[in-house]
Amino acid sequence: MFKDLKLLRSQECGESISGLFEKDPNRADAFSVRFEALLFDYSKTLITAEVRAALTALCSQQNVAGRRDAMFEGKEINETEQRAVLHTALRDPGGPELFVEGEDIRAPLRATLGRMERLARRVRSGKLAGPGGPFTDVVNIGIGGSDLGPVMAALALAPYHNGPRCHFVSNVDGAHIHDILQRIDPKTTLVIVASKTFTTVETMTNAATARRWVEAGGGEAARQFLALSTSEEETAAFGIPREHVFGFEDWVGGRYSVWGPIGLSLMLAVGPDRFREFLAGGKAMDDHFRTADWEQNMPVMLALTGIWHNQVCGHPTRAVLPYDQRLRRLPAYLQQLEMESNGKSVAMDGAPLPYPSGPVVWGEPGTNGQHAFYQLLHQGTSVVPAEFLVAAKGHEPELEPHHRLLVVNCLAQSEALMRGRSLKKASALMRAAGYEGAELQRQARHRVFPGNRPSTTLIYPQLTPYVLGQIIALYEHRVFAEGVILGINSFDQWGVELGKELADSLMPLLAGKKDDAGKDGSTRALLDFVRNSKG
Ligand code: F6P
């Protein structure tokens, strides 16, 4: 599928990104997409008009428009789980009727959102309280999509928090829940158990621990526990009364679920009105994705840039580098969104993929990353396409000098990656520093930057709830478009199951209740080590 593009790539060898700017002074304009107040600049890549034409041709070839429309219409595009994919409906509760299996889903969506809002107002006003008084703290217990979306968004929108403090427990490592519970009061804490299935072992273990903590501390679990789940049966079995359950349907994938009940902790923190703004931002990006031509379509151009770098150029990873401290969990969030969605080896029909699928996504906020791993980005032997994100304005006018430094650092990094520094320039620098002869050559070589390293920049005015909604929906549709082009199902995650099964099988072995003869030598030795550890 990528033959033409690979040919273009090979013809381009020797071309440099800086050279493209010299040839075309309007390159920044021509190779960027604006949508509302967002600007996505992909001009610092080797994508030319010809490459872009070949990339957008993939969209027609792979029927991106057809699959996109099928998703929004509620068709069963998640074929291995026989499910529709309709997280987009969560951010459009006022939309026209939408039928799934013969039932209009909008009315129940509106009803659930209304219930969430009423609850949030009562908690935030103190009308709904714990035995010790108004709720001061909320603990969201969940993992994967039932954690990463709300925790990432709650951190991102910290300037808008005016509700109870929110904490997030995900890891089954007892250290996680221990370190949070020891700081808060069991009589004024609201516990939210967030789990689509309500069977995830990490979440259910933490939920049981939290319930014991509430009860032992003089709280009342029946009053202080809420459940966010698709399973009425499981929430009832755990003992959560129906009126404390906020349900959703299986057409909302875990990693796409922050827009609905799973986002309740965010709504409690920022309030229902801000939450609605977040939804509106997501909906605006949906409308853009549905209507804009490919070249002007931000999610599609983000996807095509990804395809170019991974499948065509063969760069196996990409770095997400938010110059926005409050987006510090965005790389982790995108790891799940992108790698759980597109980290597959077979096509929709089960045939092995003849090309690599999703890249490894990783990252850290700038400027911290600059003082850690950017060395490799600039001078390492592998090329890592970098995706920068930055706001034009911060939220702290009194700290404006900080923000200016943040912005210039972000821009400087993408410039440095592109421009590099030649041996000639490095030698001149060393000569000026007093070196000569062989030592000058040696020192200069260490100061050469190959340059020509691609990056993109997403720039937005300020990280408001609306903009955050736009950014998250942008990445969701990017992952979708990439998945369609690769011909895979982006909405299942069978690859997480085997490890879960094996963990179950190891429990009785660790407890010494079952012989470990069936296990390999390494696993047996490791089990032995744990069983024999004292203290
Ligand atoms: O194990 C992977 C996974 O199923 C994710 O897809 C999901 O987001 C996470 O576990 C949590 O699942 P649940 O919300 O059902 O607890």
Side-chain angles (χ1 to χ4, degrees):
M1 171 164 43
F2 303 111
K3 227 168 72 211
D4 295 353
L5 279 154
K6 287 201 165 162
L7 189 65
L8 283 173
R9 162 83 176 151
S10 64
Q11 287 164 357
E12 258 184 10
C13 275
E15 186 61 273
S16 76
I17 305 170
S18 301
L20 294 177
F21 277 99
E22 277 157 30
K23 278 193 208 147
D24 176 5
N26 294 324
R27 179 167 171 82
D29 242 11
F31 293 86
S32 59
V33 181
R34 282 173 194 270
F35 169 60
E36 294 189 348
L38 307 189
L39 169 65
F40 170 59
D41 175 8
Y42 62 97
S43 60
K44 289 196 188 92
T45 67
L46 280 171
I47 295 178
T48 59
E50 225 182 337
V51 168
R52 181 170 58 196
L55 285 168
T56 50
L58 290 175
C59 294
S60 328
Q61 192 185 316
Q62 296 299 96
N63 191 21
V64 172
R67 297 294 289 180
R68 174 197 64 197
D69 295 346
M71 172 171 75
F72 280 95
E73 285 159 14
K75 304 261 164 57
E76 266 184 19
I77 63 163
N78 176 355
E79 294 175 19
T80 59
E81 296 181 314
Q82 290 90 44
R83 288 177 186 166
V85 173
L86 274 173
H87 51 278
T88 51
L90 296 170
R91 40 200 191 229
D92 187 19
E97 286 179 329
L98 179 56
F99 290 91
V100 175
E101 290 170 7
E103 303 227 359
D104 174 31
I105 61 163
R106 295 276 192 211
L109 276 187
R110 274 194 291 275
T112 304
L113 182 59
R115 280 186 63 220
M116 287 167 63
E117 292 181 334
R118 281 193 293 283
L119 176 105
R121 292 207 165 91
R122 289 178 65 218
V123 170
R124 287 162 55 85
S125 67
K127 279 195 187 126
L128 192 70
F135 288 117
T136 53
D137 296 87
V138 171
V139 177
N140 184 87
I141 297 177
I143 196 164
S146 300
D147 167 69
L148 288 165
V151 73
M152 176 275 298
L155 289 169
L157 298 182
Y160 301 89
H161 285 211
N162 52 12
R165 287 180 294 266
C166 284
H167 313 268
F168 295 85
V169 174
S170 51
N171 202 328
V172 76
D173 182 344
H176 199 180
I177 193 159
H178 170 270
D179 290 358
I180 288 173
L181 297 188
Q182 70 164 355
R183 291 190 263 130
I184 56 180
D185 181 349
K187 295 203 284 294
T188 59
T189 295
L190 182 65
V191 180
I192 299 181
V193 186
S195 174
K196 179 173 169 177
T197 54
F198 232 70
T199 56
T200 303
V201 70
E202 292 92 334
T203 300
M204 300 326 294
T205 305
N206 279 322
T209 299
R211 184 161 58 189
R212 284 194 297 277
W213 170 79
V214 165
E215 284 165 353
E220 291 170 33
R223 228 163 120 181
Q224 291 174 244
F225 269 67
L226 302 176
L228 319 174
S229 180
T230 54
S231 173
E232 272 184 30
E233 243 171 61
E234 297 290 344
T235 53
F238 188 80
I240 300 197
R242 239 187 135 154
E243 62 278 15
H244 283 196
V245 179
F246 293 83
F248 55 103
E249 300 296 327
D250 64 8
W251 36 256
V252 179
R255 51 194 175 273
Y256 299 88
S257 61
V258 64
W259 312 95
I262 295 292
L264 185 60
S265 48
L266 174 67
M267 187 191 274
L268 286 163
V270 302
D273 296 342
R274 295 299 193 184
F275 191 80
R276 286 250 180 189
E277 290 167 22
F278 171 66
L279 297 187
K283 157 89 169 88
M285 188 55 74
D286 292 342
D287 293 343
H288 167 72
F289 179 50
R290 294 178 86 168
T291 53
D293 292 342
W294 298 142
E295 285 190 13
Q296 289 312 316
N297 196 310
M298 201 176 278
V300 167
M301 288 316 302
L302 189 56
L304 294 177
T305 308
I307 296 273
W308 168 250
H309 287 143
N310 186 220
Q311 280 74 25
V312 183
C313 301
H315 307 314
T317 85
R318 68 170 159 246
V320 178
L321 307 168
Y323 276 67
D324 199 322
Q325 177 64 13
R326 294 191 175 110
L327 285 180
R328 61 190 173 278
R329 291 298 278 161
L330 184 72
Y333 172 82
L334 291 180
Q335 272 171 349
Q336 187 195 17
L337 185 67
E338 304 206 7
M339 293 164 74
E340 198 168 75
S341 298
N342 288 349
K344 313 281 166 67
S345 320
V346 294
M348 190 68 97
D349 63 3
L353 284 181
Y355 34 72
S357 64
V360 173
V361 176
W362 59 282
E364 272 287 314
T367 56
N368 299 20
Q370 288 175 208
H371 299 272
F373 55 81
Y374 278 38
Q375 163 65 40
L376 183 148
L377 300 189
H378 287 290
Q379 289 188 316
T381 47
S382 41
V383 174
V384 180
E387 300 192 347
F388 295 98
L389 293 99
V390 66
K393 248 177 71 188
H395 280 89
E396 292 74 28
E398 73 285 9
L399 298 176
E400 223 267 317
H402 286 246
H403 198 76
R404 263 182 273 152
L405 268 172
L406 185 73
V407 171
V408 296
N409 268 281
C410 178
L411 304 192
Q413 291 302 323
S414 65
E415 189 183 346
L417 285 168
M418 172 178 75
R419 213 183 253 269
R421 182 190 283 149
S422 64
L423 181 60
K424 196 169 155 208
K425 280 197 181 145
S427 304
L429 283 175
M430 290 299 94
R431 195 166 299 114
Y435 287 95
E436 16 182 79
E439 186 57 11
L440 182 150
Q441 286 310 314
R442 187 167 82 94
Q443 292 292 344
R445 279 198 197 98
H446 287 275
R447 287 156 175 86
V448 168
F449 290 67
N452 210 22
R453 302 209 157 182
S455 70
T456 62
T457 303
L458 178 70
I459 188 157
Y460 41 93
Q462 194 177 35
L463 193 59
T464 61
Y466 185 85
V467 165
L468 181 70
Q470 289 183 309
I471 293 175
I472 301 310
L474 166 67
Y475 278 98
E476 285 180 353
H477 294 319
R478 177 258 190 109
V479 169
F480 173 80
E482 283 189 354
V484 174
I485 290 171
L486 297 174
I488 60 184
N489 182 2
S490 299
F491 298 102
D492 61 11
Q493 55 285 317
W494 299 109
V496 302
E497 294 303 328
L498 180 58
K500 290 184 193 173
E501 283 165 29
L502 292 177
D504 280 350
S505 77
L506 284 171
M507 272 308 244
L509 274 58
L510 186 63
K513 290 187 184 148
K514 219 174 136 190
D515 187 341
D516 55 15
K519 294 289 175 190
D520 59 89
S522 160
T523 306
R524 281 209 311 269
L526 295 168
L527 277 171
D528 264 350
F529 185 93
V530 180
R531 283 188 297 235
N532 298 331
S533 286
K534 310 244 163 15

